[in-house]
Amino acid sequence: MSGKRALIAAGGTGGHMFPAQALAELLLAEGWQVTLSTDERGARYAGTFPPEVVRQVVPSATTARGGIAGKLAAPFRIAAGVLAARRAFVRQRPDVVIGFGGYPTIPALAAARLMGLPRMIHEQNGVMGRVNRLFAPRVHRVACGTWPTDLPAGVSGTHTGNPVRAAVLAQAGAPYAVPGDGPLRLLVIGGSQGARVLSRVVPAAIALLPDDLRTRLLVSHQARPEDADSVTAAYAAAGIEADVQPFFTDVPERIAAAHLVVSRSGASSLADITVIGRPSILIPFAAATGDHQTANAQALAETGAAHVHPESVLDATSLARDIRAILTDPARAAAMAAAALDLARPDAARRLYDLVEEIAR
């Protein structure tokens, strides 16, 4: 048992929280004590963290949203968060602070800098987020999930890959059953934001597929609650058996069972898809900061692991064409699955852990 303490700070989206959870799981296994620092929104995403992880909710805010009043109040909330984090660190000093991005990481990283604590960040995407870009020159290590990553001038990074949770590792490299004459499983996952276009276009694309293909489809579709009824109705009109939910708690198992995944290209989603090894059609979120989802998808597109559809030209006809091309060509589907697996970094959490150990010394 190491007896060391790690403070993990992460923003309130799955893209930040899933790799943070993966590192937390490994730290606990290595005998560390782990605290998760986040804001009230992030705390709602922390339910799948191991119960041994202490939750610490600190005030934070973003200057990018919330209107004039929100923008004016944000610096004061952030300052309050920094003071709260500093008081917590005085009571129980962490050996290392690791930030995973998002505005809720500002208090912990700022307090760690003020106190001279060992600190590092992990950037999941090919283009750094605002907060990580701010702190990159002010930490001891910068770990990168996607390579290459656009880093600030004078900052060097270490390519660790994006850590995946234990539930994903349990499915790592699961044998791929190529599409044949039986049922065909399609998984549609949209991430925590921007999934509305998938709810509109994917059912329309599937309705255009030939009868012999369409009637064999079993679809799992993650849709916003406000879109669930219309998506369910669209599939029913096309004669499709579909499981439509706002959130799947068993995404790794569904990826492993899928013949094809249609997804946004968030970093955590791509890490899951590559570690398990499945063909995919990726639709980068057009409004993502710095167009980072397109950067995330680049390696999969270049190696033939995925077809990438820019949202600006996405339509039902082209999407139906690609779905049909993959599901009717077992050799192509198998090659895409193998190419995805070649890009996987199932040891990303271990690589990140080694950096944590290094700076904690």
Side-chain angles (χ1 to χ4, degrees):
M1 302 288 284
S2 75
K4 293 178 182 175
R5 301 180 187 275
L7 188 290
I8 292 176
T13 69
H16 299 309
M17 299 294 273
F18 288 155
Q21 179 182 334
L23 178 62
E25 290 169 346
L26 182 53
L27 285 164
L28 289 171
E30 293 290 343
W32 286 63
Q33 298 177 50
V34 181
T35 297
L36 170 68
S37 177
T38 188
D39 65 355
E40 292 178 359
R41 180 186 175 209
R44 295 198 296 268
Y45 283 83
T48 56
F49 275 66
E52 297 86 354
V53 174
V54 177
R55 276 70 164 174
Q56 184 182 94
V57 178
V58 297
S60 187
T62 170
T63 57
R65 297 185 298 273
I68 294 176
K71 288 180 172 62
L72 291 174
F76 298 99
R77 284 185 57 81
I78 291 171
V82 173
L83 292 174
R86 193 174 187 279
R87 286 194 298 270
F89 291 175
V90 169
R91 290 194 302 270
Q92 199 168 73
R93 188 181 182 91
D95 292 281
V96 63
V97 175
I98 312 107
F100 281 85
Y103 280 84
T105 67
I106 292 177
L109 286 171
R113 184 167 184 251
L114 287 171
M115 297 177 66
L117 300 176
R119 57 200 179 274
M120 61 181 287
I121 58 173
H122 178 273
E123 172 57 53
Q124 297 87 55
N125 299 296
V127 177
M128 293 198 97
R130 295 184 184 95
V131 174
N132 276 352
R133 185 168 289 274
L134 171 68
F135 281 100
R138 299 170 175 86
V139 296
H140 298 100
R141 291 289 184 275
V142 175
C144 301
T146 302
W147 200 256
T149 297
D150 176 29
L151 298 168
V155 173
S156 61
T158 300
H159 182 206
T160 59
N162 280 307
V164 296
R165 297 158 290 154
V168 178
L169 287 177
Q171 302 293 334
Y176 177 58
V178 298
D181 297 328
L184 299 169
R185 298 185 182 276
L186 179 71
L187 174 63
V188 185
I189 45 179
S192 59
Q193 57 183 340
R196 175 155 287 167
V197 67
L198 301 190
S199 294
R200 175 175 55 83
V201 177
V202 177
I206 288 174
L208 297 177
L209 295 172
D211 289 348
D212 64 324
L213 185 63
R214 190 182 70 250
T215 55
R216 291 189 287 127
L217 281 176
L218 300 174
V219 178
S220 296
H221 188 129
Q222 185 174 292
R224 291 180 173 187
E226 60 267 33
D227 298 331
D229 288 345
S230 63
V231 173
T232 301
Y235 282 124
I240 300 297
E241 183 178 335
D243 181 5
V244 180
Q245 297 184 36
F247 185 76
F248 292 125
T249 58
D250 57 347
V251 166
E253 291 83 358
R254 289 178 189 258
I255 293 175
H259 292 97
L260 175 64
V261 180
V262 178
S263 177
R264 288 299 201 188
S265 50
S268 288
S269 294
L270 298 193
D272 293 355
I273 290 168
T274 56
V275 165
I276 297 170
R278 293 298 179 263
S280 59
I281 296 174
L282 303 176
I283 302 159
F285 181 39
T289 304
D291 197 22
H292 66 251
Q293 288 208 358
T294 297
N296 294 348
Q298 182 178 347
L300 281 83
E302 290 177 349
T303 59
H307 290 188
V308 179
H309 281 266
E311 189 173 325
S312 59
V313 297
L314 178 69
D315 59 44
T317 301
S318 61
L319 184 57
R321 178 198 65 215
D322 282 357
I323 292 173
R324 180 180 182 180
I326 296 168
L327 292 182
T328 59
D329 189 340
R332 176 188 288 191
M336 292 177 72
L341 198 57
D342 283 344
L343 293 172
R345 289 231 163 172
D347 61 344
R350 176 62 62 179
R351 290 169 181 261
L352 190 56
Y353 174 81
D354 289 345
L355 291 181
V356 171
E357 278 280 6
E358 178 186 322
I359 67 168
R361 295 191 193 107

